[in-house]
Amino acid sequence: MICNKCLLTQEFPGTQFSSDGVCNHCRSFEEKEDNLPYETQFIELIGSIKSKRPYDCMLAFSGGKDSTYTLYLLKHKYKLNVLTYTFDNGFISKQAKENIKHVTEQLDSDNITFSPIFDLLKKMFRSAITNKNLYSKAALMRASAICTTCINFIRYHSLKCAIEKNIPIIVFGWAPGQIDQRSIFIKPHYSFLAKTQESYIKAHKDFLSMCQDRYFLSAESFKEHADNMPYFVNPLLFNNYEMNEVKRVIQSIGWKSPQDIDANSTNCLLNTLGNKIHINHFGYNPYMQEVSELVRDGFISREEGVLRMENNLNEAVISYCEEKLELNSEYT
Ligand SMILES: [Zn+2]
């Protein structure tokens, strides 16, 4: 059963349908509060930090459509000096790499690309795939276990980089549907970040415990920098995220859509495998909630949502990922 209004199915945790085929999330949907006050806070913050350091902010930059549009906004709308940070998980598509080079050049921004030893990432991805209890069910409602592995590495490693480079803001290109309102503009308390980082490292302790200081802040560093934890800001939540406009803008600076990736990613080949495993295990696509929210909020049409949920898994890409991670056919 699939909701008549959004795209949730009964497999999605906590979903019930009324007799007219509409899900409880759609029935209780209310227009979200206006996000513009967050932009006012962001602009005030910019006023207090601008041009006092080599970089005003660091942007987690995958080279995908959303982070590209975010970089455009940071440069053209907010006039910031941005250091882009790219995490190379070994599966960035060739076109996405070309986009990263081209877009950062076009938008006059430095880029650091961080590539941890692939053998370490391989072990972490394999563990995320084979150990079904590595992350909580709640953590996996919006992202596959593979994505969750990367997202957290990026979050805590970019934090260490920003602290070391004295950068006061970390910007993420999360789009509507991907995070909740409380995360649009925050200055997290150091102890919260230290605690969530610790549970991530603990989940991967077999591989990370020997080398965690290379990648992440130590408990002492968190305390030492307690007063200068950066702000975390998600500008796409308080800007126009109408898809045709996003595409128009990024294409105008020469961004090209990679052709070897599924409909819900514009940079990472591994995303497809993560989706396949998630669907096999939980019975729903990890993008279901996000795309349903986009439909409810009117950012995309239901027809486009349906297209995104059609899981045209590219078998060649999946085989490539399986081989690179040395997975045998029994892993799912
Ligand atoms: Zn619904």
Side-chain angles (χ1 to χ4, degrees), residues 3-8 17 22-26 296:
C3 175
N4 286 336
K5 289 202 168 167
C6 72
L7 295 155
L8 289 182
F17 292 93
V22 176
C23 79
N24 51 320
H25 302 277
C26 284
R296 254 179 247 130

Side-chain angles (χ1 to χ4, degrees), residues 30-220:
E30 288 166 23
E31 293 278 319
K32 292 206 174 94
E33 274 175 49
D34 188 1
N35 285 338
L36 283 175
Y38 297 109
E39 182 171 45
T40 310
Q41 291 181 43
F42 184 43
I43 290 169
E44 278 172 17
L45 173 63
I46 291 170
S48 68
I49 57 96
K50 196 164 163 36
S51 308
K52 291 183 178 160
R53 302 171 181 83
Y55 298 106
D56 301 316
C57 68
M58 175 185 266
L59 169 66
F61 183 66
S62 70
K65 72 174 177 6
D66 292 339
S67 62
T68 297
Y69 186 55
T70 306
L71 180 58
Y72 177 88
L73 292 172
L74 294 176
K75 293 299 292 188
H76 284 274
K77 185 174 182 189
Y78 302 110
K79 316 280 182 208
L80 293 170
N81 194 5
V82 185
L83 175 62
T84 59
Y85 164 95
T86 302
F87 182 75
D88 184 355
N89 67 358
F91 292 94
I92 302 178
S93 90
K94 188 165 169 277
Q95 182 61 55
K97 281 190 175 165
E98 283 168 21
N99 284 334
I100 289 165
K101 193 80 207 122
H102 180 78
V103 166
T104 51
E105 199 66 40
Q106 285 291 307
L107 293 176
D108 194 26
S109 298
D110 295 332
N111 175 258
I112 50 169
T113 294
F114 185 70
S115 314
I117 299 164
F118 183 70
D119 189 57
L120 169 69
L121 293 176
K122 184 168 86 178
K123 286 173 179 156
M124 293 174 71
F125 289 139
R126 287 174 56 95
S127 164
I129 290 166
T130 54
N131 180 355
K132 306 284 187 217
N133 300 316
L134 198 63
Y135 303 117
S136 71
K137 278 210 171 114
L140 297 176
M141 280 165 68
R142 279 183 199 267
S144 70
I146 284 178
C147 278
T148 302
T149 302
C150 268
I151 289 165
N152 284 296
F153 205 121
I154 293 166
R155 181 178 165 91
Y156 301 118
H157 182 255
S158 66
L159 173 65
K160 179 173 159 68
C161 294
I163 292 277
E164 287 170 354
K165 293 180 185 300
N166 193 21
I167 299 175
I169 306 172
I170 306 179
V171 175
F172 295 93
W174 293 122
Q178 293 181 323
I179 55 163
D180 68 41
Q181 257 180 330
R182 287 166 301 177
S183 306
I184 296 174
F185 180 96
I186 45 167
K187 186 177 168 68
H189 194 270
Y190 84 93
S191 61
F192 171 76
L193 291 171
K195 206 170 138 213
T196 52
Q197 178 186 283
E198 194 186 332
S199 55
Y200 175 66
I201 294 172
K202 204 171 152 202
H204 292 279
K205 63 178 183 315
D206 294 349
F207 322 116
L208 283 177
S209 53
M210 300 81 77
C211 55
Q212 65 184 70
D213 291 348
R214 261 173 26 205
Y215 303 116
F216 308 118
L217 290 174
S218 63
E220 300 77 55

